[in-house]
Amino acid sequence: MKTVLSNKKAIFLFVFPGFVLYTVFVVLPVIWSGYYTFFDGIPGIKWEFCGLDNFVRLFHDKNFMKALIVNLKYIGIVTVGQVGIGLLLALMFKYWLKHFATLVRTIVFFPVVLPTVAVGQLFVKIYEIQPHYGLLNSVLKAVGLQELVQPWIGQASTALGSLSAMDIWTAVGFYAIIFYGALLDIPEDVVEAARIDGCKPFQLFRMVLTPLLRPMIITCAIFSFTGTVKMFESALALTGGGPGGATKSLSIYMYDTAFTYSKTGYGSVIALFIFLVCVVGSRIIRSFEKPID
């Protein structure tokens, strides 16, 4: 391996194909999208240079601001839910479900591999109220909570929370497995020494496990954050962005602007904004990472 890594030709041979693919499918589209931001209309049809008009329009667009608020709420709920519950599940796998950890990990991870459309249709049936009650409303009725029966994805007040719950359920197994692997790497003698010194479970988690897991927590937070910023497929499959725009994210608004209303240039500005949010937000999250003494 050292011989291969010391050979510049070998390094070039391994790196060059990936570099070409990354440039073609990532770098060039970003540059091309940036070029589109200075034009209005559809390429080849009323394609006119408009300078910075699209950027000025962005911050005066009420629909854009509404989609941004939806996205921020969604990010706050789903990122905390995916990472927080994933960490709690990993702790359960490691310390409380040792004999059944393999079975439980498989069950928890299963939703991760399901197609988004299938998950969306599944939760449509779970939240259903017409023509008959879905699973959630049936359970509420069965336990005597009839007053809580409602159209969960049919009203603006509960649609975003329902969508968030679905996406947390779908991805939490991914983060649980990552955290579980990180917990396995923590030496047992460190944990035992803390217990001998009198650390209670919560103190053990706060004073010992959390500092050791900090790099993985930051990594998972970045994964979840970038995924929630780009929220598109799940909302489209469950609610279509409705009702009344209650679950319309920036990505859905960008798609509608560029492809439904044929405003390619303005849609590119929204796409560029989403890209910058991912970059800046990830950098802010990284700033919380501190070296372990």
Side-chain angles (χ1 to χ4, degrees):
M1 180 60 70
K2 291 182 179 180
T3 303
V4 173
L5 293 178
S6 62
N7 189 326
K8 293 183 179 179
K9 292 182 179 180
I11 294 175
F12 177 80
L13 182 64
F14 284 116
V15 172
F16 183 71
F19 175 77
V20 170
L21 292 174
Y22 183 80
T23 302
V24 171
F25 292 106
V26 178
V27 178
L28 290 180
V30 170
I31 296 174
W32 199 249
S33 181
Y35 168 76
Y36 275 1
T37 60
F38 300 103
F39 292 84
D40 187 30
I42 307 173
I45 305 175
K46 296 182 180 180
W47 190 237
E48 300 175 352
F49 180 79
C50 64
L52 299 176
D53 289 352
N54 285 326
F55 292 91
V56 175
R57 176 184 174 186
L58 185 71
F59 296 100
H60 294 85
D61 185 349
K62 294 182 180 179
N63 291 325
F64 168 78
M65 298 306 297
K66 183 178 180 180
L68 177 60
I69 292 172
V70 169
N71 239 127
L72 292 176
K73 290 179 180 179
Y74 176 84
I75 290 168
I77 297 171
V78 177
T79 299
V80 173
Q82 289 177 346
V83 178
I85 298 175
L87 179 56
L88 291 176
L89 287 174
L91 291 170
M92 290 177 59
F93 298 158
K94 182 69 167 63
Y95 297 109
W96 292 296
L97 296 173
K98 293 182 179 181
H99 299 294
F100 304 100
T102 302
L103 176 62
V104 176
R105 287 201 308 271
T106 302
I107 295 173
V108 170
F109 188 79
F110 182 70
V112 178
V113 301
L114 292 177
T116 304
V117 175
V119 173
Q121 290 302 306
L122 171 65
F123 273 80
V124 166
K125 295 301 182 183
I126 291 176
Y127 293 135
E128 191 175 42
I129 192 171
Q130 292 293 342
H132 49 73
Y133 286 172
L135 176 63
L136 179 56
N137 286 325
S138 296
V139 171
L140 291 174
K141 180 182 178 182
V143 298
L145 298 175
Q146 180 70 34
E147 65 276 8
L148 296 180
V149 172
Q150 55 191 299
W152 295 94
I153 58 176
Q155 57 187 12
S157 59
T158 57
L160 185 61
S162 301
L163 172 64
S164 301
M166 182 188 80
D167 285 342
I168 290 172
W169 176 84
T170 302
V172 72
F174 172 76
Y175 298 99
I177 296 302
I178 292 178
F179 282 127
Y180 180 70
L183 286 171
L184 292 178
D185 288 337
I186 297 177
E188 285 292 336
D189 54 349
V190 174
V191 177
E192 289 301 323
R195 286 172 172 166
I196 292 173
D197 289 339
C199 276
K200 298 187 180 299
F202 181 74
Q203 292 175 320
L204 177 66
F205 171 75
R206 186 170 65 89
M207 304 299 295
V208 179
L209 297 180
T210 299
L212 294 173
L213 291 173
R214 182 187 292 272
M216 193 56 63
I217 293 174
I218 296 298
T219 300
C220 288
I222 291 174
F223 283 164
S224 182
F225 172 78
T226 54
T228 53
V229 170
K230 299 178 291 184
M231 180 258 285
F232 181 81
E233 300 94 339
S234 58
L236 208 61
L238 183 67
T239 63
T247 58
K248 178 175 282 190
S249 66
L250 289 174
S251 295
I252 295 177
Y253 184 54
M254 179 271 295
Y255 178 86
D256 287 343
T257 300
F259 299 104
T260 302
Y261 303 113
S262 301
K263 297 290 184 180
T264 305
Y266 187 52
S268 296
V269 173
I270 300 172
L272 182 62
F273 181 85
I274 296 172
F275 173 76
L276 292 176
V277 169
C278 286
V279 173
V280 174
S282 299
R283 187 66 190 87
I284 293 173
I285 295 173
R286 284 291 303 274
S287 67
F288 290 96
E289 188 173 10
K290 298 178 182 179
I292 300 174
D293 296 329

